[in-house]
Structures are given as C-alpha cells and as structure tokens.
Amino acid sequence: MSAQDRLTQAISDAYDETPYISLPFSYTAPGSLRAVASLYGLSAPALDRARVLELGCAAGGNVLPFALAYPDARVVGVDLSPQQIEAGQRVAEAVGARNLDLRAMSLVDITADFGMFDYIICHGVFSWVPPEVRDAIFRICRDNLSPEGIAYVSYNTYPGWKASDVIRDAMILNSYGAETPQEKVARAKDMLELIENGLWNDNPLQSALQHTAQKLRGQSDHYLIHEYLEAINTPCYFLEFAASAQQAGLTYLTDAEPQLTFPSTFGSKVALGLNGLAVNASREMREQYLDFAVGRSFRKSLLVHSERAEAILDQPEGSAFTAMAFAADLTALPAAPAAPANQRQYRTTRGATLTTHDPVASGMIDMLKQAWPGTVPFNVILEMAREHAPSASQDELTSAILGHIIALVQSNALLYRLEPATYQALQSKPALIPGARELLREVSKADCQVSMHNLWHQGITPPADPLSRHVMNDIDGAHSTLELRSAIRDALTSGRHPHPNGQSYKGARNLEPVAQEFLNSLLAELRRTGLLLN
C-alpha cells in the first residue's frame, strides 16, 4: 500500500470510528445557490429536475432535504466512509427518498463518465484532504458541472485560522500516542485548559489564542476530532483558492452568503478603512483585503465555468430581488419605555435586534413574520408599501423596499428564493412536510446520523416528549384538528403518554380544554420550526 493509500485509509477509518450527525446547511441548498447567482446576473438550472452532487456527503443529511422536496430531481452523494454511507442509505430507504443515491468511494475515482450535475456541493472537505483530492475536487467541478451549473466549495482560510493553527498544533502534540479517539479528545482538552488559563500575560498571542480556545469549549467531541485532530487541515488565503480554481478552468462567483463580501456589512469603520485600498483593485483582491480586516477563518465560495466570467456582474444587482419571494422568522419585541411612537423592534433567530421607524419596513417585516415559514413575493410587499405611501411613485416604492431587503440580508435575517419553499398543502387538515413523519422515527434511533430539517434546508430539533411524538405521527393531512385533539385526550386519559408538564391525567374526565391547549402549542411550535406544511 502506498503512502497516499495509507493516508486515504486513515481518513476513512477516522470517520468510521467517530461518525457525526450529518446536518443540512441552508446556504448550500441548490435553491439558495440559484438565487445568489441571479444577483450577479447568472442563470442556473431550475430545481424541479436538477441534478445535484455532494462530495463528502457523510450520511447524506445535507442533500436529503432537497431529495425529499424535489422527488423528480436526481441527487447523488459520495463519501469515503462506508459506515456513514450505509447509515445514510438506511435513512433514505426508510423515508422513501428513492432519488437519493449514496455511494462509498474516493473522490479521485470520479471521472467525466460519472455524469453531469447542475449543482455540485463540497462542504467541509477541501481543507481536510490531501493535495491529490483537492485537485480532484476542482477537476470534478470543471468536468462534471453542467454549462450553467453552480459549484459550492467551503474551506478554512487565513488570516482567521492563524490562531487556530497554533492551537491545533498544541492539541495534536499533547494527544500524540493516544490510542482511542476518546483519549485524544481528553488530551486535547487538557491543552485547551492551558491555553485558556495558563498563558503568560506578555504572550503576544494571548488574546487571539484564548478567544479561539474559549469558542472551542462549546464544540462537540466529534468536531474537535475532525476539525482539529485530523491528519490534514490545510487552510489557505482566499486569493490562493481563487487562483487554483482559475487554473482548473473555473471562476469565482461570490460567497454563498454574499452579504459577507460587503465591507458595509461589518460597519462603517471597515468600509471606510478599505475604501482607499479597494479603489483600483479587482473583486477578488477587494475580498482578500476584507478577509484581513475581519479576520475571516472560513469561506463558502461559489464557482462557475470560466467561460461565464465576463457575464458576472462586479457588484450584485439589487433589482434581481424583484423576481423573488422572501421569508423571515422574526419576533416582535414589546415597545420600550419612552420609545418613539413609530419605533418597532424585532429579534432575529440569531439574537440580533432590528429597529425601524419606517412604516413600510415595519409593514414588510410584519408580513414576513405572519407568513413564516411561508413566503411573501416581492409584488405583494409592493402592494403593502403602496398602502403606507400612496403618494410615492412605483420607482420610489421599489427602491425603498429593495433598501429594506438588503438591510435584512445584511442582518442575516432574510431567506430569498426564485423558487420558494411551498408551505401550503392542498388539504385543509394539518400535515407535516414531505418525509417528516418517517424521518422523525429515524432520528429517534440512537444510531441515526442525520437530523430533522424543514423546507428551508435548515436543521431543526423536533419536540422530544412522547406525547408530541405520538401526535405528530397522525399529523398527516388525513386527520382533522378535532381528531388530533381526541387522540391527545385519549392518550392522557389512558396514561399511555404523560403530559410534558409532569402532571398525571390518567382516568381524568373533561380533558378537551387541556388537549386543545396542548395541540395549539404543538402546532405553533411545528409551524415555528418549519415542520408544519399548512
């Protein structure tokens, strides 16, 4: 066995020994990639029959949401770990995702004969594989990507990873000779203890190292093993990645979250500081300067064929949003004492507070909040704005709405799609999204390696109590709310499933109000997480 083969086998063994939950990442969803591309003037294939390939798919948790949402699409996942592929295949069969094909194989074995794909996703792989595999990733993104396709590749990057490099070296040094993954993690955490609490006050790297170590304390063991203790972890500067892509016949389009490429997203200080440097710089150079300014440690780059380079807009075109639909999970906050009468505040899912005094902005946010997890098309927002500002022209209203949309995007508060997630079932009875009932049974198993998701390609945590799980199995579009309430009442009366509040209702009568309150709460929670279809 060659040294390269031994390294490949070691990587495979590491993921077989310590598998991790394969999660969906919303910014990798083909619908998101297609919408982002349109901001830069590029079209991308429609989703209903799209061909999607994920490189390094683990158990397929990142492509399963798309496969279930688009049963006529073709979805292929490839991973080096047979154990994770087998786990994903079991889930795919159980939930009826017949269009999802998971294969255990090396990326270097993929050739042009493997087929053409409209969307190629490679998340959390590029930095953790040897040079031969990194070259294969670029080759696949060139040879197996359809003419109008979009490729996504994420990777660790400098300068943000410089402090992590030092910590990784220290953790690997202290875990040398460990015989089990558990022992490796224990020794690595011992080193984190030193970095957090034992550094000399005059150590010039003290602040950066301690900040990074403290963030690592909240990470899972499998994250530490695969991110910091793997045999390979090779960050690079963004310009190095872009140059390698160009040599492979590919062109950098933008980040999967394009707002992260705007200096204004990070405040006026950053924007003003970069203004002079970026005057005559290329787009790639401007983004490298920005990486230095913000200390970026991770990138999510979109690539297209080099033949499309001249068609890419230098700056995203906000007017592209007029063809889209939007969604946002926002919470209205109570008015603060002595706040202006027209001030409205909202909280995003990431904990940020949004404040506005503009009635058009607050009207738009209220519409999005009310429609969640469904979408609101741009033209509907425009009609609402006209009611708030009847004397404004069409162009003025459009410009104002686009400004509010861009502000929400920069706050990481807005989801936008050309083909929005459909949260409206034909029937009036409550129903979960496609595959959710079957997937719920799978994720309840101790050895399941995928998570629940919603139609926005987001990982979510379903209710865990037995009563909720019992009722969710009947939220199938065939049972009315009255029938669901009766099922809850019967489960409580029989004592088969306890109420989550800990109170026993076994043998009790007249439980309809209790059952109705529980059902209302459950449906509201399922709607909030995006599991409820209607």
Side-chain angles (χ1 to χ4, degrees):
M1 182 182 290
S2 68
Q4 176 61 38
D5 290 339
R6 287 195 296 271
L7 181 57
T8 299
Q9 187 61 50
I11 295 173
S12 176
D13 290 345
Y15 282 91
D16 280 344
E17 290 174 0
T18 315
Y20 57 90
I21 300 299
S22 182
L23 302 172
F25 297 92
S26 61
Y27 44 76
T28 73
S32 180
L33 306 184
R34 173 168 150 81
V36 169
S38 73
L39 295 176
Y40 288 83
L42 294 188
S43 60
L47 305 182
D48 55 349
R49 295 183 181 274
R51 298 160 295 178
V52 179
L53 170 65
E54 181 165 28
L55 308 176
C57 67
N62 191 38
V63 283
L64 180 62
F66 182 82
L68 287 172
Y70 295 94
D72 293 327
R74 179 191 176 214
V75 185
V76 179
V78 173
D79 198 273
L80 193 59
S81 168
Q83 196 267 3
Q84 293 187 104
I85 288 295
E86 290 170 5
Q89 289 170 338
R90 289 193 297 270
V91 172
E93 182 177 359
V95 302
R98 296 178 179 83
N99 58 337
L100 176 56
D101 180 8
L102 301 178
R103 308 184 191 182
M105 62 185 297
S106 172
L107 303 188
V108 299
D109 294 330
I110 295 177
T111 66
D113 294 335
F114 199 75
M116 300 295 287
F117 295 88
D118 302 311
Y119 298 93
I120 296 178
I121 302 163
C122 186
H123 182 66
V125 177
F126 188 85
S127 295
W128 298 268
V129 293
E132 295 82 0
V133 182
R134 291 197 292 273
D135 291 342
I137 291 170
F138 281 129
R139 174 178 54 77
I140 294 166
C141 291
R142 179 193 66 223
D143 295 347
N144 299 88
L145 187 67
S146 64
E148 291 195 334
I150 307 291
Y152 164 104
V153 182
S154 66
Y155 48 97
N156 287 337
T157 189
Y158 294 132
W161 240 85
K162 289 292 186 180
S164 295
D165 263 347
V166 175
I167 290 180
R168 178 174 183 268
D169 290 343
M171 292 168 69
I172 288 177
L173 176 66
N174 201 49
S175 61
Y176 180 78
E179 297 183 356
T180 65
Q182 294 76 17
E183 187 181 355
K184 278 187 178 181
V185 170
R187 293 190 185 184
K189 289 181 176 178
D190 288 341
M191 181 53 69
L192 285 180
E193 179 68 26
L194 170 65
I195 293 171
E196 282 188 272
N197 302 305
L199 295 187
W200 182 41
N201 287 336
D202 289 341
N203 183 330
L205 299 178
Q206 182 190 43
S207 177
L209 293 177
Q210 288 182 338
H211 176 72
T212 302
Q214 287 165 2
K215 288 200 302 182
L216 286 179
R217 277 295 181 190
Q219 298 292 346
S220 64
D221 288 355
H222 70 252
Y223 176 85
L224 293 178
I225 288 174
H226 295 306
E227 180 78 6
Y228 279 79
L229 300 178
E230 284 288 355
I232 297 176
N233 191 331
T234 312
C236 63
Y237 282 102
F238 165 65
L239 282 180
E240 294 175 318
F241 177 87
S244 296
Q246 187 174 26
Q247 290 175 357
L250 301 162
T251 292
Y252 171 71
L253 174 59
T254 186
D255 192 88
E257 296 183 292
Q259 66 271 21
L260 300 181
T261 69
F262 309 154
S264 57
T265 297
F266 302 94
S268 58
K269 180 180 178 180
V270 171
L272 290 173
L274 292 174
N275 191 47
L277 290 174
V279 172
N280 297 313
S282 66
R283 188 160 59 94
E284 288 84 355
M285 185 64 75
R286 295 198 302 268
E287 291 196 29
Q288 183 63 76
Y289 288 148
L290 180 60
D291 283 5
F292 280 113
V294 303
R296 201 187 309 274
S297 60
F298 190 70
R299 268 190 169 267
K300 308 177 294 294
S301 293
L302 305 189
L303 304 172
V304 298
H305 287 294
S306 291
E307 292 78 5
R308 307 185 78 190
E310 292 187 2
I312 299 173
L313 299 177
D314 188 63
Q315 297 287 342
E317 179 52 66
S319 62
F321 283 125
T322 61
M324 298 189 195
F326 309 90
D329 182 10
L330 297 163
T331 302
L333 299 178
N342 61 342
Q343 177 176 294
R344 301 289 301 278
Q345 289 191 314
Y346 305 85
R347 186 174 61 248
T348 71
T349 55
R350 300 190 184 189
T353 298
L354 306 178
T355 302
T356 182
H357 299 86
D358 187 315
V360 172
S362 58
M364 180 178 74
I365 293 175
D366 286 339
M367 289 183 74
L368 294 169
K369 183 172 68 67
Q370 183 66 30
W372 175 262
T375 56
V376 181
F378 184 89
N379 64 318
V380 174
I381 298 174
L382 186 62
E383 288 301 317
M384 175 277 302
R386 188 173 288 111
E387 294 177 4
H388 284 285
S391 61
S393 69
Q394 181 93 346
D395 288 345
E396 289 172 334
L397 289 176
T398 297
S399 178
I401 294 170
L402 289 177
H404 297 319
I405 287 172
I406 292 169
L408 287 173
V409 170
Q410 288 188 297
S411 300
N412 298 308
L414 195 66
L415 295 163
Y416 51 94
R417 297 286 194 275
L418 288 165
E419 296 157 306
T422 304
Y423 274 98
Q424 183 59 53
L426 295 178
Q427 67 274 19
S428 59
K429 298 175 181 178
L432 299 183
I433 64 173
R437 292 165 60 244
E438 296 81 3
L439 185 57
L440 183 66
R441 290 192 286 269
E442 292 303 305
V443 301
S444 300
K445 300 176 182 177
D447 61 346
C448 185
Q449 295 182 26
V450 303
S451 73
M452 292 293 294
H453 63 265
N454 61 24
L455 292 181
W456 289 106
H457 211 96
Q458 297 170 325
I460 59 98
T461 302
D465 65 278
L467 183 57
S468 293
R469 294 291 178 94
H470 170 71
V471 179
M472 287 173 67
N473 193 55
D474 288 337
I475 303 180
D476 54 4
H479 293 81
S480 67
T481 54
L482 180 61
E483 290 171 317
L484 294 173
R485 187 185 71 183
S486 297
I488 296 169
R489 179 202 62 203
D490 294 345
L492 291 172
T493 302
S494 67
R496 187 166 65 253
H497 295 295
H499 195 289
N501 64 14
Q503 184 174 347
S504 174
Y505 293 95
K506 187 174 182 178
R509 297 184 178 184
N510 302 320
L511 287 181
E512 279 76 9
V514 175
Q516 186 66 56
E517 182 182 10
F518 179 85
L519 179 60
N520 292 344
S521 177
L522 176 61
L523 293 178
E525 175 64 11
L526 295 177
R527 185 172 289 108
R528 185 192 65 80
T529 57
L531 277 178
L532 196 64
L533 191 59
N534 57 343

